[in-house]
Amino acid sequence: MNKPRVALLGLGIMGTGMARRLLGGGFPLTVWNRNPAKAAALVSEGAKAAATPREAATGAEFIFSMLADDRASRGVWLGQDGALAGTAPGAVLVECSTLTVEWITELTKAATARGVEFLDAPVTGSKAQAAAGELNFLVGGSAATLEKARPVLTAMSRSITHLGPAGSGAMIKLINNFVCGVQVAAIGEAIAMIERSGLERARALEVLLNGAPGSPLVKLMAGRMTTPDFTPNFLLRLLAKDLSYAIQEAGQRSLELTTAKAALSQFERAIAAGHGDKDMSAVIEPLRQGGTR
Ligand code: NAP
């Protein structure tokens, strides 16, 4: 049976890996990226490159996007030559970026008004998992739409979890990432404290990593912070974005995320010091260099 035509908008760290998995799964794929140079390698591997999001969406049965933030998503779906204008009735739109529930709600309404189906399907897993087809999709939307999209999602994933109606995936993803952000900031502060304390770093870290604080993320970050290796898997400025979106969503529900606010202040400090385009583990750099505020 012929596989459905798929479009993927956004070829960053995550989108590029996802595109390769779709090609590997035999899906006819059209890609679009703001900086068109990022499409070249995928074209040589069998993808078509579109000049605009609208062109990419035209004729596709499934249209995925993997973009930086709300602003990028709004522009790509609803802006000039935006993807929504290219969709046909019955197409399924799958927004995989980490975004606010507020924007997902607006985008769902715009999709429904055009007669297309919508899923929010942000992911956990990073660069390596995107490349290996081992992402975990956190899905919001109708169960019937998810069943339609499942074969395409499966080509990119290790697991698919249906959380509830549209916006549910975005909500759990922001909760997940604010907890991640707090852990990354905390292990950065802990390592900075160890380095100033006179303790032997490796032995002191063993206590943390083999004990209760040693979550998979804390272990990964401790390795990157001590090597140090700030080659981006997850851009620091994007984790700051996720923390601020989580704080905003909680605020709309009369909840103050004080731990997320404290973590965000460390990430903002690192961005101000020029580390925004490095891996999130670079949050430790200002703590090492500048002392506490
Ligand atoms: P990335 O490498 O920075 O890629 C961002 C993508 O968004 C690029 O394609 C970029 O285009 C595009 N973009 C940014 N601003 C735009 C705009 N105004 N208009 C159109 N396109 C725009 O980031 P990533 O790591 O792939 O992350 C993508 C999404 O996945 C984010 O929402 C992130 O929070 C989420 N996420 C990331 C990870 C991870 O570990 N990296 C894990 C889970 C979820 P250009 O190439 O032209 O700049």
Side-chain angles (χ1 to χ4, degrees):
M1 204 174 81
N2 283 344
K3 300 244 178 164
R5 287 186 60 188
V6 178
L8 178 64
L9 315 168
L11 301 173
I13 290 174
M14 299 297 283
T16 298
M18 292 163 71
R20 288 223 162 84
R21 298 314 304 178
L22 290 167
L23 285 174
F27 292 94
L29 181 69
T30 303
V31 293
W32 173 85
N33 195 59
R34 180 179 61 174
N35 170 2
K38 289 190 187 167
L42 289 161
V43 168
S44 70
E45 293 165 39
K48 277 189 194 153
T52 63
R54 181 181 183 144
E55 185 187 313
T58 302
E61 287 170 64
F62 296 91
I63 304 122
F64 285 78
S65 58
M66 195 49 161
L67 300 156
D69 53 18
D70 280 9
R71 190 160 162 260
S73 174
R74 180 183 288 280
V76 166
W77 286 109
L78 304 185
Q80 203 187 356
D81 285 323
L84 195 62
T87 54
V92 179
L93 183 166
V94 189
E95 177 48 274
C96 298
S97 328
T98 304
L99 305 172
T100 60
V101 178
E102 195 176 2
W103 161 239
I104 289 293
T105 305
E106 197 182 325
L107 182 55
T108 310
K109 284 188 188 140
T112 307
R114 198 176 159 85
V116 299
E117 297 178 51
F118 179 84
L119 296 173
D120 54 308
V123 302
T124 64
S126 191
K127 183 181 178 177
Q129 290 73 28
E134 291 179 355
L135 294 170
N136 303 298
F137 282 101
L138 310 171
V139 182
S142 87
T145 305
L146 171 56
E147 286 321 305
K148 266 194 183 178
R150 190 178 289 278
V152 194
L153 292 167
T154 299
M156 298 179 276
S157 65
R158 179 206 300 260
S159 76
I160 300 167
T161 305
H162 188 205
L163 276 307
S168 308
M171 178 58 82
I172 190 62
K173 176 62 183 166
L174 291 179
I175 295 168
N176 183 84
N177 276 31
F178 108 67
V179 177
C180 289
V182 169
Q183 288 189 27
V184 177
I187 190 64
E189 290 183 340
I191 292 174
M193 190 167 174
I194 288 169
E195 289 173 351
R196 287 171 198 219
S197 67
L199 289 166
E200 206 244 297
R201 190 174 75 181
R203 205 175 308 167
L205 264 178
E206 259 177 48
V207 174
L208 298 187
L209 303 186
N210 295 329
S215 73
L217 181 62
V218 163
K219 285 181 174 152
L220 180 70
M221 289 296 110
R224 300 203 100 201
M225 288 173 181
T226 50
T227 304
D229 175 10
F230 303 137
T231 323
N233 286 331
F234 193 140
L235 292 175
L236 192 149
R237 65 177 159 80
L238 291 183
L239 192 55
K241 175 257 309 183
D242 296 351
L243 283 161
S244 70
Y245 284 177
I247 291 164
Q248 180 186 320
E249 291 290 347
Q252 286 165 6
R253 292 158 182 81
S254 304
L255 179 67
E256 189 187 6
L257 301 183
T258 57
T259 56
K261 285 183 176 174
L264 179 58
S265 73
Q266 291 297 3
F267 283 94
E268 284 172 343
R269 192 175 172 200
I271 291 168
H275 303 296
D277 285 320
K278 297 180 186 166
D279 188 68
M280 59 186 172
S281 47
V283 73
I284 193 171
E285 283 301 88
L287 294 164
R288 277 188 169 133
Q289 284 152 17
T292 48
R293 250 194 288 219

